[in-house]
Amino acid sequence: MGDPGRRPQGFRYAFPWVGGPFRVTQGPNGRVSHFGPKGRYAMDIAMPEGTPIIAAREGVVVKTQNSQSGREPNPSGNFVRILHADGTMGVYLHLMRGSVLVTEGQRVRQGQTLAKSGNTGNSTGPHLHFVVQRNVGLALESIPYRFDRPISGLPDFTAGNP
Ligand SMILES: [Zn+2]
């Protein structure tokens, strides 16, 4: 009621990978890990390690991590964070070590290759965790988003409460 952050915004995100089709293994409000403000509206998409990850929307790279080899220390693993023109950010998590091709401050266009998918951080199998966030005060908050075409999911894991 009255909070625009709770409704998907107009922008439709391109699939941030090459290949597939892949399926959502955990959707918004997923019980495994998609709760809490930063990740509530994330989607996990299962894909083989090494799948090319591309920008779902144009923007400027604001942060990357490329050197983590396993689960620790960052639960996000290796990642790329891209700031969009409207102030939202797309975040691509659990990437393969050493695969990130973009640097902080770099402008990227939609479809530009960012990295390869992986299984780093708090990840129980090879997948991409893609989330759109915005800054609310000093905190990051996940916001709902939509892809520009349908994606199928595994119903048992796709979760919860739309
Ligand atoms: Zn996830």
Side-chain angles (χ1 to χ4, degrees), residues 13-70:
Y13 289 79
F15 282 172
W17 58 81
V18 176
F22 303 131
R23 296 196 291 185
V24 174
T25 52
Q26 187 185 180
N29 296 297
R31 289 180 220 94
V32 178
S33 59
H34 293 174
F35 44 80
K38 288 170 65 176
R40 186 181 309 280
Y41 298 105
M43 293 190 217
D44 289 338
I45 300 98
M47 61 186 68
E49 286 188 67
T51 300
I53 298 301
I54 62 178
R57 182 175 182 176
E58 69 175 355
V60 176
V61 178
V62 290
K63 198 161 177 53
T64 65
Q65 169 61 254
N66 193 27
S67 61
Q68 184 165 318
S69 55

Side-chain angles (χ1 to χ4, degrees), residues 87-144:
T88 64
M89 292 170 283
V91 196
Y92 308 72
L93 268 57
H94 309 307
L95 304 172
M96 179 184 287
R97 183 186 189 189
S99 75
V100 175
L101 297 172
V102 294
T103 56
E104 293 171 18
Q106 182 178 343
R107 173 164 290 280
V108 294
R109 64 186 187 283
Q110 183 176 306
Q112 186 167 340
T113 305
L114 304 175
K116 290 177 178 166
S117 71
N119 190 21
T120 56
N122 181 20
S123 174
T124 56
H127 78 284
L128 174 71
H129 171 113
F130 179 65
V131 62
V132 179
Q133 297 174 329
R134 62 178 180 178
N135 279 307
V136 178
L138 295 176
L140 289 166
E141 182 178 88
S142 170
I143 57 177

